[in-house]
mmCIF file of all heavy atoms in Angstrom:
data_model
loop_
_atom_site.group_PDB
_atom_site.id
_atom_site.type_symbol
_atom_site.label_atom_id
_atom_site.label_comp_id
_atom_site.label_asym_id
_atom_site.label_seq_id
_atom_site.Cartn_x
_atom_site.Cartn_y
_atom_site.Cartn_z
ATOM 1 N N MET A 1 -58.286 28.745 44.636
ATOM 2 C CA MET A 1 -57.643 28.338 43.402
ATOM 3 C C MET A 1 -57.646 29.560 42.302
ATOM 4 O O MET A 1 -56.653 29.834 41.623
ATOM 5 C CB MET A 1 -58.295 27.155 42.770
ATOM 6 C CG MET A 1 -57.684 26.732 41.500
ATOM 7 S SD MET A 1 -58.346 25.298 40.637
ATOM 8 C CE MET A 1 -59.703 24.646 41.443
ATOM 9 N N VAL A 2 -58.694 30.245 42.225
ATOM 10 C CA VAL A 2 -58.795 31.333 41.423
ATOM 11 C C VAL A 2 -57.730 32.501 41.752
ATOM 12 O O VAL A 2 -57.221 33.115 40.959
ATOM 13 C CB VAL A 2 -60.311 31.924 41.346
ATOM 14 C CG1 VAL A 2 -60.288 33.351 40.639
ATOM 15 C CG2 VAL A 2 -61.229 30.912 40.892
ATOM 16 N N THR A 3 -57.662 32.671 43.028
ATOM 17 C CA THR A 3 -56.649 33.721 43.496
ATOM 18 C C THR A 3 -55.206 33.288 43.183
ATOM 19 O O THR A 3 -54.520 34.108 42.721
ATOM 20 C CB THR A 3 -56.776 33.866 45.110
ATOM 21 O OG1 THR A 3 -58.212 34.248 45.387
ATOM 22 C CG2 THR A 3 -55.881 34.985 45.501
ATOM 23 N N ILE A 4 -54.919 32.114 43.379
ATOM 24 C CA ILE A 4 -53.610 31.541 42.994
ATOM 25 C C ILE A 4 -53.421 31.632 41.551
ATOM 26 O O ILE A 4 -52.280 32.106 41.019
ATOM 27 C CB ILE A 4 -53.444 30.101 43.455
ATOM 28 C CG1 ILE A 4 -53.399 30.018 45.031
ATOM 29 C CG2 ILE A 4 -52.165 29.549 42.911
ATOM 30 C CD1 ILE A 4 -53.441 28.661 45.535
ATOM 31 N N LEU A 5 -54.420 31.317 40.587
ATOM 32 C CA LEU A 5 -54.280 31.481 39.198
ATOM 33 C C LEU A 5 -54.025 32.996 38.855
ATOM 34 O O LEU A 5 -53.187 33.226 37.991
ATOM 35 C CB LEU A 5 -55.550 30.982 38.543
ATOM 36 C CG LEU A 5 -55.669 29.413 38.374
ATOM 37 C CD1 LEU A 5 -57.017 29.122 37.721
ATOM 38 C CD2 LEU A 5 -54.406 28.904 37.488
ATOM 39 N N LEU A 6 -54.713 33.856 39.418
ATOM 40 C CA LEU A 6 -54.572 35.262 39.199
ATOM 41 C C LEU A 6 -53.161 35.810 39.472
ATOM 42 O O LEU A 6 -52.558 36.500 38.818
ATOM 43 C CB LEU A 6 -55.635 36.100 39.932
ATOM 44 C CG LEU A 6 -56.985 36.151 39.389
ATOM 45 C CD1 LEU A 6 -57.971 36.747 40.192
ATOM 46 C CD2 LEU A 6 -57.003 36.693 37.916
ATOM 47 N N ILE A 7 -52.775 35.225 40.609
ATOM 48 C CA ILE A 7 -51.368 35.730 41.051
ATOM 49 C C ILE A 7 -50.334 35.157 40.121
ATOM 50 O O ILE A 7 -49.316 35.912 39.591
ATOM 51 C CB ILE A 7 -51.040 35.246 42.506
ATOM 52 C CG1 ILE A 7 -51.873 36.079 43.496
ATOM 53 C CG2 ILE A 7 -49.540 35.391 42.831
ATOM 54 C CD1 ILE A 7 -51.821 35.450 44.959
ATOM 55 N N ILE A 8 -50.415 33.984 39.652
ATOM 56 C CA ILE A 8 -49.448 33.256 38.708
ATOM 57 C C ILE A 8 -49.594 34.035 37.420
ATOM 58 O O ILE A 8 -48.515 34.348 36.764
ATOM 59 C CB ILE A 8 -49.835 31.854 38.545
ATOM 60 C CG1 ILE A 8 -49.466 30.993 39.923
ATOM 61 C CG2 ILE A 8 -49.053 31.270 37.359
ATOM 62 C CD1 ILE A 8 -49.898 29.714 39.908
ATOM 63 N N LEU A 9 -50.768 34.352 36.889
ATOM 64 C CA LEU A 9 -50.863 35.174 35.668
ATOM 65 C C LEU A 9 -50.263 36.538 35.734
ATOM 66 O O LEU A 9 -49.546 36.952 34.803
ATOM 67 C CB LEU A 9 -52.331 35.197 35.188
ATOM 68 C CG LEU A 9 -52.933 33.886 34.639
ATOM 69 C CD1 LEU A 9 -54.368 34.066 34.500
ATOM 70 C CD2 LEU A 9 -52.254 33.571 33.398
ATOM 71 N N ILE A 10 -50.476 37.193 36.816
ATOM 72 C CA ILE A 10 -49.850 38.573 36.972
ATOM 73 C C ILE A 10 -48.316 38.438 37.035
ATOM 74 O O ILE A 10 -47.662 39.233 36.224
ATOM 75 C CB ILE A 10 -50.364 39.255 38.284
ATOM 76 C CG1 ILE A 10 -51.838 39.575 38.073
ATOM 77 C CG2 ILE A 10 -49.472 40.424 38.626
ATOM 78 C CD1 ILE A 10 -52.482 40.031 39.232
ATOM 79 N N LEU A 11 -47.862 37.453 37.710
ATOM 80 C CA LEU A 11 -46.294 37.129 37.690
ATOM 81 C C LEU A 11 -45.797 36.879 36.272
ATOM 82 O O LEU A 11 -44.691 37.378 35.915
ATOM 83 C CB LEU A 11 -45.973 36.173 38.681
ATOM 84 C CG LEU A 11 -46.145 36.450 40.050
ATOM 85 C CD1 LEU A 11 -45.767 35.375 41.080
ATOM 86 C CD2 LEU A 11 -45.151 37.710 40.441
ATOM 87 N N MET A 12 -46.497 36.198 35.544
ATOM 88 C CA MET A 12 -46.148 35.755 34.170
ATOM 89 C C MET A 12 -46.161 36.982 33.205
ATOM 90 O O MET A 12 -45.311 37.067 32.370
ATOM 91 C CB MET A 12 -47.002 34.616 33.569
ATOM 92 C CG MET A 12 -46.769 33.199 34.296
ATOM 93 S SD MET A 12 -47.900 32.011 33.768
ATOM 94 C CE MET A 12 -47.487 31.815 32.086
ATOM 95 N N LEU A 13 -47.204 37.807 33.445
ATOM 96 C CA LEU A 13 -47.235 39.018 32.568
ATOM 97 C C LEU A 13 -46.057 39.916 32.878
ATOM 98 O O LEU A 13 -45.462 40.545 32.011
ATOM 99 C CB LEU A 13 -48.574 39.784 32.871
ATOM 100 C CG LEU A 13 -49.757 39.140 32.198
ATOM 101 C CD1 LEU A 13 -51.032 39.869 32.708
ATOM 102 C CD2 LEU A 13 -49.647 39.229 30.712
ATOM 103 N N ILE A 14 -45.687 40.045 34.152
ATOM 104 C CA ILE A 14 -44.513 40.899 34.627
ATOM 105 C C ILE A 14 -43.264 40.173 34.030
ATOM 106 O O ILE A 14 -42.355 40.894 33.517
ATOM 107 C CB ILE A 14 -44.416 41.056 36.054
ATOM 108 C CG1 ILE A 14 -45.693 41.829 36.526
ATOM 109 C CG2 ILE A 14 -43.075 41.743 36.451
ATOM 110 C CD1 ILE A 14 -45.734 41.957 38.099
ATOM 111 N N GLY A 15 -43.153 38.972 34.028
ATOM 112 C CA GLY A 15 -41.960 38.309 33.506
ATOM 113 C C GLY A 15 -41.840 38.397 32.014
ATOM 114 O O GLY A 15 -40.710 38.284 31.471
ATOM 115 N N ALA A 16 -42.963 38.406 31.281
ATOM 116 C CA ALA A 16 -42.923 38.518 29.775
ATOM 117 C C ALA A 16 -42.656 40.005 29.342
ATOM 118 O O ALA A 16 -42.422 40.035 28.048
ATOM 119 C CB ALA A 16 -44.345 37.985 29.314
ATOM 120 N N PHE A 17 -42.617 40.841 30.181
ATOM 121 C CA PHE A 17 -42.342 42.256 29.751
ATOM 122 C C PHE A 17 -40.852 42.406 29.291
ATOM 123 O O PHE A 17 -39.893 41.979 30.076
ATOM 124 C CB PHE A 17 -42.540 43.273 30.857
ATOM 125 C CG PHE A 17 -42.487 44.655 30.447
ATOM 126 C CD1 PHE A 17 -43.477 45.231 29.630
ATOM 127 C CD2 PHE A 17 -41.355 45.413 30.822
ATOM 128 C CE1 PHE A 17 -43.382 46.491 29.284
ATOM 129 C CE2 PHE A 17 -41.338 46.757 30.450
ATOM 130 C CZ PHE A 17 -42.323 47.298 29.650
ATOM 131 N N PRO A 18 -40.599 42.810 28.087
ATOM 132 C CA PRO A 18 -39.213 42.801 27.497
ATOM 133 C C PRO A 18 -38.318 44.048 28.131
ATOM 134 O O PRO A 18 -38.212 45.026 27.442
ATOM 135 C CB PRO A 18 -39.426 43.071 26.100
ATOM 136 C CG PRO A 18 -40.631 43.788 25.889
ATOM 137 C CD PRO A 18 -41.550 43.160 27.003
ATOM 138 N N ALA A 19 -37.949 43.980 29.387
ATOM 139 C CA ALA A 19 -37.256 45.015 30.002
ATOM 140 C C ALA A 19 -35.678 44.867 29.884
ATOM 141 O O ALA A 19 -35.054 45.878 30.155
ATOM 142 C CB ALA A 19 -37.660 45.058 31.506
ATOM 143 N N TRP A 20 -35.209 43.823 29.470
ATOM 144 C CA TRP A 20 -33.765 43.627 29.361
ATOM 145 C C TRP A 20 -33.411 43.554 27.875
ATOM 146 O O TRP A 20 -34.135 43.103 27.097
ATOM 147 C CB TRP A 20 -33.353 42.242 30.083
ATOM 148 C CG TRP A 20 -33.746 42.291 31.519
ATOM 149 C CD1 TRP A 20 -32.948 42.766 32.521
ATOM 150 C CD2 TRP A 20 -34.899 41.871 32.044
ATOM 151 N NE1 TRP A 20 -33.687 42.552 33.747
ATOM 152 C CE2 TRP A 20 -34.744 42.036 33.360
ATOM 153 C CE3 TRP A 20 -36.165 41.190 31.570
ATOM 154 C CZ2 TRP A 20 -35.908 41.688 34.254
ATOM 155 C CZ3 TRP A 20 -37.082 40.843 32.416
ATOM 156 C CH2 TRP A 20 -37.016 41.077 33.822
ATOM 157 N N PRO A 21 -32.170 44.097 27.549
ATOM 158 C CA PRO A 21 -31.846 44.231 26.222
ATOM 159 C C PRO A 21 -31.844 42.894 25.426
ATOM 160 O O PRO A 21 -32.143 42.900 24.276
ATOM 161 C CB PRO A 21 -30.400 44.812 26.287
ATOM 162 C CG PRO A 21 -30.362 45.456 27.627
ATOM 163 C CD PRO A 21 -31.131 44.643 28.510
ATOM 164 N N TYR A 22 -31.402 41.747 26.069
ATOM 165 C CA TYR A 22 -31.345 40.649 25.314
ATOM 166 C C TYR A 22 -32.694 40.006 25.006
ATOM 167 O O TYR A 22 -32.839 39.207 24.166
ATOM 168 C CB TYR A 22 -30.521 39.525 26.076
ATOM 169 C CG TYR A 22 -31.031 39.190 27.383
ATOM 170 C CD1 TYR A 22 -31.980 38.116 27.493
ATOM 171 C CD2 TYR A 22 -30.634 39.802 28.602
ATOM 172 C CE1 TYR A 22 -32.554 37.811 28.731
ATOM 173 C CE2 TYR A 22 -31.146 39.420 29.757
ATOM 174 C CZ TYR A 22 -32.123 38.446 29.863
ATOM 175 O OH TYR A 22 -32.607 38.084 31.080
ATOM 176 N N SER A 23 -33.704 40.442 25.732
ATOM 177 C CA SER A 23 -35.026 39.876 25.519
ATOM 178 C C SER A 23 -35.837 40.659 24.546
ATOM 179 O O SER A 23 -36.971 40.287 24.171
ATOM 180 C CB SER A 23 -35.785 39.804 26.825
ATOM 181 O OG SER A 23 -36.043 41.044 27.305
ATOM 182 N N ARG A 24 -35.379 41.832 24.149
ATOM 183 C CA ARG A 24 -36.162 42.640 23.143
ATOM 184 C C ARG A 24 -36.286 41.977 21.796
ATOM 185 O O ARG A 24 -37.210 42.196 21.173
ATOM 186 C CB ARG A 24 -35.519 44.026 22.983
ATOM 187 C CG ARG A 24 -35.602 44.751 24.347
ATOM 188 C CD ARG A 24 -35.095 46.238 24.035
ATOM 189 N NE ARG A 24 -34.949 46.946 25.250
ATOM 190 C CZ ARG A 24 -35.964 47.562 25.818
ATOM 191 N NH1 ARG A 24 -37.176 47.498 25.406
ATOM 192 N NH2 ARG A 24 -35.711 48.250 27.039
ATOM 193 N N SER A 25 -35.402 41.110 21.419
ATOM 194 C CA SER A 25 -35.437 40.534 20.183
ATOM 195 C C SER A 25 -36.407 39.292 20.117
ATOM 196 O O SER A 25 -36.574 38.647 19.084
ATOM 197 C CB SER A 25 -34.026 40.100 19.713
ATOM 198 O OG SER A 25 -33.572 39.013 20.575
ATOM 199 N N TRP A 26 -36.875 38.826 21.243
ATOM 200 C CA TRP A 26 -37.799 37.733 21.341
ATOM 201 C C TRP A 26 -39.185 37.973 20.674
ATOM 202 O O TRP A 26 -39.829 37.170 20.360
ATOM 203 C CB TRP A 26 -38.079 37.376 22.786
ATOM 204 C CG TRP A 26 -36.896 36.817 23.464
ATOM 205 C CD1 TRP A 26 -35.647 36.468 22.900
ATOM 206 C CD2 TRP A 26 -36.840 36.597 24.872
ATOM 207 N NE1 TRP A 26 -34.807 36.110 23.882
ATOM 208 C CE2 TRP A 26 -35.448 36.088 25.074
ATOM 209 C CE3 TRP A 26 -37.536 36.733 25.959
ATOM 210 C CZ2 TRP A 26 -34.969 35.680 26.271
ATOM 211 C CZ3 TRP A 26 -37.201 36.318 27.191
ATOM 212 C CH2 TRP A 26 -35.841 35.835 27.347
ATOM 213 N N GLY A 27 -39.489 39.266 20.497
ATOM 214 C CA GLY A 27 -40.788 39.613 19.899
ATOM 215 C C GLY A 27 -41.932 39.346 20.756
ATOM 216 O O GLY A 27 -41.940 39.641 22.002
ATOM 217 N N TYR A 28 -43.047 38.914 20.227
ATOM 218 C CA TYR A 28 -44.298 38.723 20.870
ATOM 219 C C TYR A 28 -44.448 37.309 21.505
ATOM 220 O O TYR A 28 -45.449 36.957 22.065
ATOM 221 C CB TYR A 28 -45.460 39.022 20.034
ATOM 222 C CG TYR A 28 -45.570 40.431 19.634
ATOM 223 C CD1 TYR A 28 -45.323 40.851 18.330
ATOM 224 C CD2 TYR A 28 -45.977 41.270 20.545
ATOM 225 C CE1 TYR A 28 -45.473 42.181 18.077
ATOM 226 C CE2 TYR A 28 -46.131 42.684 20.221
ATOM 227 C CZ TYR A 28 -45.819 43.011 18.879
ATOM 228 O OH TYR A 28 -45.989 44.380 18.616
ATOM 229 N N TYR A 29 -43.399 36.436 21.394
ATOM 230 C CA TYR A 29 -43.600 35.110 21.878
ATOM 231 C C TYR A 29 -43.860 34.882 23.308
ATOM 232 O O TYR A 29 -44.827 34.159 23.695
ATOM 233 C CB TYR A 29 -42.378 34.198 21.503
ATOM 234 C CG TYR A 29 -42.131 34.051 20.037
ATOM 235 C CD1 TYR A 29 -41.085 34.599 19.352
ATOM 236 C CD2 TYR A 29 -43.129 33.404 19.241
ATOM 237 C CE1 TYR A 29 -40.871 34.597 18.037
ATOM 238 C CE2 TYR A 29 -42.965 33.312 17.886
ATOM 239 C CZ TYR A 29 -41.813 33.845 17.253
ATOM 240 O OH TYR A 29 -41.725 33.744 15.913
ATOM 241 N N PRO A 30 -43.164 35.592 24.280
ATOM 242 C CA PRO A 30 -43.533 35.392 25.620
ATOM 243 C C PRO A 30 -44.884 36.000 26.065
ATOM 244 O O PRO A 30 -45.702 35.330 26.707
ATOM 245 C CB PRO A 30 -42.353 36.151 26.494
ATOM 246 C CG PRO A 30 -41.308 36.255 25.442
ATOM 247 C CD PRO A 30 -41.869 36.329 24.116
ATOM 248 N N SER A 31 -45.198 37.079 25.582
ATOM 249 C CA SER A 31 -46.427 37.737 25.924
ATOM 250 C C SER A 31 -47.602 37.009 25.148
ATOM 251 O O SER A 31 -48.717 37.049 25.639
ATOM 252 C CB SER A 31 -46.404 39.176 25.655
ATOM 253 O OG SER A 31 -46.264 39.517 24.353
ATOM 254 N N GLY A 32 -47.322 36.497 24.000
ATOM 255 C CA GLY A 32 -48.311 35.815 23.373
ATOM 256 C C GLY A 32 -48.716 34.533 23.965
ATOM 257 O O GLY A 32 -49.856 34.124 24.066
ATOM 258 N N GLY A 33 -47.705 33.846 24.616
ATOM 259 C CA GLY A 33 -47.984 32.671 25.391
ATOM 260 C C GLY A 33 -48.745 32.924 26.658
ATOM 261 O O GLY A 33 -49.728 32.195 26.968
ATOM 262 N N VAL A 34 -48.398 34.034 27.258
ATOM 263 C CA VAL A 34 -49.148 34.443 28.520
ATOM 264 C C VAL A 34 -50.561 34.746 28.074
ATOM 265 O O VAL A 34 -51.534 34.435 28.846
ATOM 266 C CB VAL A 34 -48.471 35.599 29.326
ATOM 267 C CG1 VAL A 34 -49.301 36.042 30.327
ATOM 268 C CG2 VAL A 34 -47.085 35.118 29.745
ATOM 269 N N GLY A 35 -50.841 35.399 27.030
ATOM 270 C CA GLY A 35 -52.022 35.731 26.461
ATOM 271 C C GLY A 35 -52.868 34.637 26.157
ATOM 272 O O GLY A 35 -54.131 34.511 26.512
ATOM 273 N N LEU A 36 -52.335 33.610 25.632
ATOM 274 C CA LEU A 36 -52.965 32.310 25.370
ATOM 275 C C LEU A 36 -53.488 31.619 26.542
ATOM 276 O O LEU A 36 -54.599 31.235 26.766
ATOM 277 C CB LEU A 36 -52.093 31.427 24.513
ATOM 278 C CG LEU A 36 -52.713 30.039 24.174
ATOM 279 C CD1 LEU A 36 -54.028 30.246 23.259
ATOM 280 C CD2 LEU A 36 -51.758 29.162 23.394
ATOM 281 N N ILE A 37 -52.566 31.548 27.572
ATOM 282 C CA ILE A 37 -52.852 30.975 28.800
ATOM 283 C C ILE A 37 -54.064 31.714 29.508
ATOM 284 O O ILE A 37 -55.010 31.176 30.037
ATOM 285 C CB ILE A 37 -51.697 30.947 29.795
ATOM 286 C CG1 ILE A 37 -50.736 29.898 29.234
ATOM 287 C CG2 ILE A 37 -52.035 30.555 31.232
ATOM 288 C CD1 ILE A 37 -49.404 29.906 29.899
ATOM 289 N N LEU A 38 -53.996 33.087 29.520
ATOM 290 C CA LEU A 38 -55.067 33.937 30.050
ATOM 291 C C LEU A 38 -56.401 33.699 29.445
ATOM 292 O O LEU A 38 -57.385 33.664 29.996
ATOM 293 C CB LEU A 38 -54.549 35.392 29.954
ATOM 294 C CG LEU A 38 -55.493 36.508 30.540
ATOM 295 C CD1 LEU A 38 -55.754 36.195 32.048
ATOM 296 C CD2 LEU A 38 -55.112 37.801 30.273
ATOM 297 N N LEU A 39 -56.305 33.628 28.071
ATOM 298 C CA LEU A 39 -57.589 33.239 27.310
ATOM 299 C C LEU A 39 -58.143 31.922 27.707
ATOM 300 O O LEU A 39 -59.403 31.841 27.842
ATOM 301 C CB LEU A 39 -57.315 33.282 25.835
ATOM 302 C CG LEU A 39 -58.476 33.000 24.844
ATOM 303 C CD1 LEU A 39 -59.435 34.233 24.983
ATOM 304 C CD2 LEU A 39 -58.054 32.920 23.537
ATOM 305 N N ILE A 40 -57.366 30.872 27.972
ATOM 306 C CA ILE A 40 -57.790 29.611 28.340
ATOM 307 C C ILE A 40 -58.448 29.565 29.676
ATOM 308 O O ILE A 40 -59.561 29.142 29.872
ATOM 309 C CB ILE A 40 -56.738 28.537 28.226
ATOM 310 C CG1 ILE A 40 -56.261 28.322 26.798
ATOM 311 C CG2 ILE A 40 -57.090 27.234 28.937
ATOM 312 C CD1 ILE A 40 -55.055 27.515 26.688
ATOM 313 N N VAL A 41 -57.805 30.353 30.609
ATOM 314 C CA VAL A 41 -58.374 30.522 31.954
ATOM 315 C C VAL A 41 -59.745 31.290 31.946
ATOM 316 O O VAL A 41 -60.644 30.944 32.661
ATOM 317 C CB VAL A 41 -57.312 31.223 32.900
ATOM 318 C CG1 VAL A 41 -57.910 31.645 34.234
ATOM 319 C CG2 VAL A 41 -56.088 30.314 33.157
ATOM 320 N N ILE A 42 -59.796 32.379 31.106
ATOM 321 C CA ILE A 42 -61.031 33.119 31.007
ATOM 322 C C ILE A 42 -62.164 32.157 30.594
ATOM 323 O O ILE A 42 -63.260 32.062 31.055
ATOM 324 C CB ILE A 42 -60.844 34.446 30.190
ATOM 325 C CG1 ILE A 42 -60.046 35.272 30.926
ATOM 326 C CG2 ILE A 42 -62.174 34.958 29.853
ATOM 327 C CD1 ILE A 42 -59.579 36.626 30.119
ATOM 328 N N ILE A 43 -61.815 31.446 29.489
ATOM 329 C CA ILE A 43 -62.797 30.414 28.942
ATOM 330 C C ILE A 43 -63.324 29.424 30.011
ATOM 331 O O ILE A 43 -64.556 29.166 30.150
ATOM 332 C CB ILE A 43 -62.342 29.767 27.579
ATOM 333 C CG1 ILE A 43 -62.205 30.857 26.547
ATOM 334 C CG2 ILE A 43 -63.269 28.607 27.259
ATOM 335 C CD1 ILE A 43 -61.589 30.284 25.314
ATOM 336 N N LEU A 44 -62.276 28.944 30.679
ATOM 337 C CA LEU A 44 -62.685 27.955 31.717
ATOM 338 C C LEU A 44 -63.500 28.527 32.847
ATOM 339 O O LEU A 44 -64.340 27.932 33.528
ATOM 340 C CB LEU A 44 -61.322 27.309 32.406
ATOM 341 C CG LEU A 44 -60.580 26.362 31.381
ATOM 342 C CD1 LEU A 44 -59.316 25.975 32.071
ATOM 343 C CD2 LEU A 44 -61.509 25.209 31.051
ATOM 344 N N LEU A 45 -63.159 29.874 33.260
ATOM 345 C CA LEU A 45 -64.013 30.529 34.150
ATOM 346 C C LEU A 45 -65.320 30.719 33.738
ATOM 347 O O LEU A 45 -66.381 30.579 34.484
ATOM 348 C CB LEU A 45 -63.347 31.842 34.680
ATOM 349 C CG LEU A 45 -62.176 31.783 35.626
ATOM 350 C CD1 LEU A 45 -61.485 33.111 35.595
ATOM 351 C CD2 LEU A 45 -62.508 31.224 36.854
ATOM 352 N N LEU A 46 -65.515 31.124 32.498
ATOM 353 C CA LEU A 46 -66.900 31.288 31.922
ATOM 354 C C LEU A 46 -67.663 30.040 31.896
ATOM 355 O O LEU A 46 -68.908 30.100 31.993
ATOM 356 C CB LEU A 46 -66.772 31.983 30.539
ATOM 357 C CG LEU A 46 -66.313 33.352 30.556
ATOM 358 C CD1 LEU A 46 -66.111 33.945 29.149
ATOM 359 C CD2 LEU A 46 -67.335 34.311 31.228
#
């Protein structure tokens, strides 16, 4: 389960990277959401 969670988080981080011109105007919303999920997972692991 931990391995699957790590794989999903890595894929979400790659997907939140603003690499396309239309997604540059989104700001920090995608990566902020991924960061929040990562923080929750770290707290649950601790």
Side-chain angles (χ1 to χ4, degrees):
M1 184 178 1
V2 173
T3 305
I4 292 171
L5 281 174
L6 284 175
I7 291 171
I8 290 172
L9 284 172
I10 290 170
L11 290 174
M12 289 173 69
L13 284 171
I14 292 170
F17 188 72
W20 298 274
Y22 63 86
S23 64
R24 292 189 190 276
S25 64
W26 293 349
Y28 292 108
Y29 295 115
S31 59
V34 172
L36 179 63
I37 293 170
L38 183 62
L39 181 65
I40 291 170
V41 168
I42 289 173
I43 290 172
L44 291 174
L45 284 172
L46 289 175

